Amino acid sequence: MRISPATLMGALAGTLLVTLSGFAQQPALAADELQQYQQRLGKLFRQLDSNGDGRLGRDEVRSNAYLQRHFSRLDRANKGYLTPADLR
């Protein structure tokens, strides 16, 4: 069976279109994942901020091993507390 050049080109174009449409969805997926991550981070911050001042002191992060271990690195300005911006 012989495939005509037009048929072959049509098949290749279709494959390319499907592939490119998958790539076009990637930025939307990444943006959605980033939004979900930021929502989870905001929720965690609010849970840890026991006094509701919008800051996390060393005493407030004791229950979170990661934040406790990396507190000094995340507190780049040496303020003695973390803000939501420090966690981004």
Side-chain angles (χ1 to χ4, degrees):
M1 178 160 120
R2 185 169 168 91
I3 300 174
S4 73
T7 302
L8 182 58
M9 290 303 289
L12 289 174
T15 302
L16 182 59
L17 181 61
V18 169
T19 302
L20 291 177
S21 68
F23 286 127
Q25 293 173 1
Q26 291 299 326
L29 181 60
D32 186 46
E33 289 174 346
L34 178 60
Q35 183 180 16
Q36 289 176 9
Y37 170 77
Q38 289 174 340
Q39 288 173 347
R40 288 192 311 268
L41 190 60
K43 182 178 178 182
L44 173 66
F45 192 93
R46 289 187 299 277
Q47 288 173 342
L48 293 174
D49 186 15
S50 59
N51 62 5
D53 66 353
R55 302 173 176 180
L56 296 178
R58 284 190 180 272
D59 58 325
E60 291 175 303
V61 300
R62 284 195 182 123
S63 64
N64 186 289
Y66 178 85
L67 291 177
Q68 187 176 15
R69 184 172 40 253
H70 298 283
F71 190 92
S72 295
R73 181 180 60 81
L74 294 168
D75 181 17
R76 294 173 203 73
N78 295 316
K79 305 175 302 289
Y81 59 86
L82 301 174
T83 64
D86 294 321
L87 302 181
R88 289 188 196 121

